[in-house]
């Protein structure tokens, strides 16, 4: 039986909020997204709705070549894959489907940054920032993680050491699909890239 995965995508764009978050946290990445397709065609997160304005923001489908990502010349990032069972993957898809169908019931939690910066747990309910939402999705999907903190305080950095996560790419996310196309071959049945993961161009 073929192993299934979900993919965690950590990035840092050149937007003002991203630069501000990076300055406050001192961490290399300021945003996290999740996908179930290795080519990241079904990537989702909580983020701005339009590339030219930070608000409004909500649950959105993201693409490397459009909106905020599309406006960036380069996108420093890392991609991790996390092994999941068929049952976990089905629950994950159910959770994503729920957010797609109920998008208007949720919003971006702009007020979360103060308690997060001060490390004060808070109730997020129907409001999320990207990292809290991805952690929430993993939990609802039954996908194991080992965050040793309150769910409201999960940051992008925490996903770099999640249980079972394997780094499959580090570099410019704009080059990710080309790298994957060259390195992973379904026809050959190979699951792992033969060449070394690129480590240039980090954030």
């Amino acid at each position: 039986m073929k192993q299934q995965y979900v993919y965690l995508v950590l990035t840092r764009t050149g937007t003002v909020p991203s630069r501000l978050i990076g300055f406050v946290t001192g961490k290399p990445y300021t945003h996290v997204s999740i996908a179930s397709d290795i080519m990241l065609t079904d990537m989702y997160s909580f983020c701005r709705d339009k590339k030219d304005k930070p608000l409004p923001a909500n649950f959105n489908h993201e693409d490397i070549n459009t909106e905020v990502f599309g406006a960036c010349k380069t996108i420093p990032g890392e991609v991790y894959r996390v092994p999941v069972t068929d049952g976990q993957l089905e629950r994950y898809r159910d959770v994503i489907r729920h957010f797609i169908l109920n998008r208007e019931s949720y919003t971006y939690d702009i007020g979360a940054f103060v308690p997060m910066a001060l490390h004060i747990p808070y109730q997020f309910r129907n409001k999320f920032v990207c990292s809290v939402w991805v952690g929430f999705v993993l939990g609802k999907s039954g996908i194991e993680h080992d965050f040793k903190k309150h769910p409201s305080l999960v940051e992008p950095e925490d996903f770099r050491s999640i249980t079972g996560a394997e780094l499959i790419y580090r570099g410019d996310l704009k080059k990710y699909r080309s790298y994957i196309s060259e390195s992973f071959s379904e026809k050959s049945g190979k699951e792992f890239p033969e060449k070394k993961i690129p480590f240039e161009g980090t954030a």
Side-chain angles (χ1 to χ4, degrees):
M1 184 179 296
K2 183 179 179 180
Q3 177 63 58
Q4 304 285 0
Y5 300 93
V6 294
Y7 299 86
L8 303 173
V9 186
L10 282 75
T11 53
R12 182 168 184 166
T13 64
T15 63
V16 172
S18 178
R19 293 199 299 269
L20 179 60
I21 293 170
F23 175 78
V24 172
T25 64
K27 303 298 173 55
Y29 301 108
T30 60
H31 184 64
V32 61
S33 312
I34 191 168
S36 62
D37 167 35
I38 193 171
M39 300 306 284
L40 310 182
T41 58
D42 63 347
M43 185 166 65
Y44 293 95
S45 190
F46 264 68
C47 55
R48 63 174 68 194
D49 292 348
K50 299 295 182 182
K51 63 182 179 182
D52 53 343
K53 292 187 293 186
L55 295 174
N58 204 329
F59 168 77
N60 284 302
H61 174 263
E62 295 181 297
D63 184 77
I64 296 170
N65 299 312
T66 62
E67 293 300 337
V68 175
F69 288 150
C72 299
K73 290 184 178 180
T74 60
I75 310 169
E78 292 181 351
V79 180
Y80 294 82
R81 67 179 186 181
V82 181
V84 297
T85 65
D86 289 345
Q88 289 170 331
L89 184 61
E90 185 59 35
R91 289 196 292 275
Y92 165 81
R93 288 172 174 162
D94 286 342
V95 174
I96 297 299
R97 191 177 301 114
H98 167 82
F99 277 91
I100 291 173
L101 295 176
N102 298 278
R103 182 177 183 274
E104 299 306 316
S105 298
Y106 297 93
T107 188
Y108 193 87
D109 194 354
I110 190 67
F113 292 107
V114 172
M116 290 184 77
L118 297 175
H119 305 288
I120 300 173
Y122 64 94
Q123 296 297 320
F124 48 85
R125 299 200 177 194
N126 292 345
K127 295 182 178 181
F128 295 94
V129 296
C130 63
S131 54
V132 173
W133 178 76
V134 173
F136 174 83
V137 170
L138 292 177
K140 285 292 186 181
S141 304
I143 300 170
E144 183 180 358
H145 55 69
D146 52 355
F147 302 137
K148 295 177 175 61
K149 58 175 60 177
H150 191 272
S152 65
L153 301 179
V154 174
E155 304 171 274
E157 180 73 11
D158 296 319
F159 295 95
R160 301 178 78 190
S161 57
I162 194 171
T163 301
E166 175 192 4
L167 177 68
I168 63 170
Y169 184 82
R170 178 187 291 157
D172 181 4
L173 203 64
K174 294 278 191 176
K175 300 177 181 178
Y176 171 78
R177 286 174 178 161
S178 296
Y179 169 76
I180 293 300
S181 295
E182 294 172 1
S183 303
F184 289 73
S185 172
E186 289 189 6
K187 291 183 179 180
S188 68
K190 296 175 181 176
E191 288 192 47
F192 297 91
E194 292 185 337
K195 60 183 181 180
K196 186 178 179 181
I197 294 171
F199 282 88
E200 70 277 9
T202 56

